[in-house]
Amino acid sequence: MRIAILALQGAFAEHQQMLRRTGTDSFLVRNADDWQQQKDGLIIPGGESTAMMRIINDGGLFEPVRNAIAGGLPVFGTCAGLIMLDKEHLGTMDITVKRNAYGRQLGSFHTVHEMRGIGEIPMTFIRAPYITAVGDSVEILAEIEGNIVAARQGCQIVTAFHPELNNDTRVHELFINSVINLRAK
Amino acid sequence: MENRTELNRNLAQMLKGGVIMDVTTPEQARIAEAAGACAVMALERIPADIRAAGGVSRMSDPKMIKGIQEAVTIPVMAKCRIGHFVEAQILEAIEIDYIDESEVLSPADDVYHIDKRKFDVPFVCGAKNLGEALRRINEGATMIRTKGEPGTGDVIQAVRHMRMIQSEIRRLVSMSEDELYEAAKQLRVPFDLVQYVHENGKLPVVNFAAGGVATPADAALMMQLGAEGVFVGSGIFKSGDPVKRAQAIVKAVTNYNNPKIIAELSENLGEAMVGINESEIELLMAERGK
């Protein structure tokens, strides 16, 4: 199995480190040439979604990435990665997102909370968004004070927090298992 | 507070691989954001103009900073003077995302830096060698940048500082455990920070390049030398075509190891900022705050 990590801007190295810890092979995608490589899944990391959108558009990556996800490529998006998948950006997930929902950096926080299918996990929110509305095909995986902070739609998993920043690989394992399950079909 | 330090280091991690641009108006901030900046630095005058104007340079008007906060959704940073903790308190009160305790402004204290651990908002500080970087981290900085020589368009000092920091890191990594105590003494930093660098081969916080970056090639050079992202001050809005140059530098930082892409990005950018050579500078800002 080989996972592509979108490395346009942000915390892509942290995701690569987490995958390494789970024994999963990965490679970084910075441009359309990198994207050509064979891949079984995609991670879109945290960072600034406006910066990523600018680079993904100008680098000729928008259409290929969107088509691959729409065609069933499993994807895991954290924070900005969650925003990238919403209806206003790549549009592959039926979710509506509020950006900077917790305000500026002074609103960033860390907590431990329940995530469906995993249990209690550490959650770090950095100038984070949350999901304000989901379509029928979207399963809510975690809610904090009524706000959706993790969700799944088919092979797409998103978290408003950053599992790559804590020493807990369980969300990455959840994603890897969904890739394995798909390959088994 | 331990938790805040971690959260503030985490925000810097989200800025990695990105370009932080100096802006002086909401309009420039919007241009920077649209070009793909991962954050903006709000200030009344860019370093090249501060250098030209001379005199005492202070924190920007909070009203001006607020205007920029309202104009964009990306993080907004602002500078306070070295040691001027009340300017920092003001910036915290307006909920700035990152404070740059900066040698670009006139220092307010020639002995003490701000006790940054007392603040909830994060601080980035300049450094020209490993000792300075670790001292700032010990004071609570959660992000480091090279000092470079701001407002010159000359990258030589940023290169020198980045090379110095990287080579000093390599030196610590190669030491035996019992040599680290003496190293800590020489660097004038706590042992645990020296030990961290020895074991991890890097600073415990994100390290950006800053000072004199003017072209996509400059930005890629700093990334290849080990920077995790780039600040561009005067280089963008002092150039002939700011929009195009800003976009090009953003993409050069993403593709810093791809000369073919950087070659394409470097075409037809218009005039770069004129720049001042190192030897022509009368005021060395990098010598402020050690």
Side-chain angles (χ1 to χ4, degrees), chain B residues 44-66:
Chain B
E44 273 164 339
R45 283 183 300 191
I46 54 175
D49 292 335
I50 291 173
R51 193 174 280 288
V56 176
S57 181
R58 308 176 179 90
M59 179 191 77
S60 298
D61 182 340
K63 175 130 201 225
M64 172 268 167
I65 297 168
K66 281 185 188 166

Side-chain angles (χ1 to χ4, degrees), chain B residues 197-269:
Chain B
V197 175
H198 172 71
E199 284 169 5
N200 296 278
K202 62 186 195 67
L203 297 178
V205 304
V206 167
N207 185 17
F208 268 47
V213 174
T215 67
D218 288 348
L221 173 69
M222 296 313 303
M223 294 296 287
Q224 289 195 24
L225 286 171
E228 295 179 282
V230 174
F231 284 84
V232 186
S234 319
I236 289 172
F237 290 100
K238 277 281 165 192
S239 74
D241 189 345
V243 174
K244 202 168 176 192
R245 185 167 294 266
Q247 290 182 6
I249 292 176
V250 165
K251 287 169 207 157
V253 167
T254 297
N255 290 289
Y256 68 92
N257 263 332
N258 191 321
K260 232 178 103 186
I261 292 180
I262 300 168
E264 285 166 25
L265 293 170
S266 302
E267 284 182 15
N268 284 320
L269 285 182

Side-chain angles (χ1 to χ4, degrees), chain A residues 11-89:
Chain A
F12 45 84
E14 286 77 355
H15 276 290
Q16 194 159 37
Q17 185 60 33
M18 291 300 267
L19 289 179
R20 210 170 284 138
R21 285 179 51 193
T22 65
T24 311
D25 192 18
S26 65
F27 67 99
L28 302 178
V29 175
R30 299 176 189 276
N31 52 59
D33 282 347
D34 296 340
W35 181 252
Q36 300 300 323
Q37 300 175 60
Q38 183 275 332
K39 56 202 152 296
D40 302 294
L42 170 68
I43 290 179
I44 307 183
E48 282 303 320
S49 57
T50 51
M52 289 187 205
M53 277 309 286
R54 163 53 69 186
I55 305 167
I56 206 173
N57 274 320
D58 294 356
L61 274 168
F62 185 90
E63 291 291 330
V65 170
R66 187 179 64 181
N67 293 343
I69 299 169
L73 181 73
V75 62
F76 173 27
T78 62
C79 196
L82 174 153
I83 296 169
M84 294 286 282
L85 294 168
D86 78 4
K87 290 199 273 196
E88 288 182 18
H89 297 88

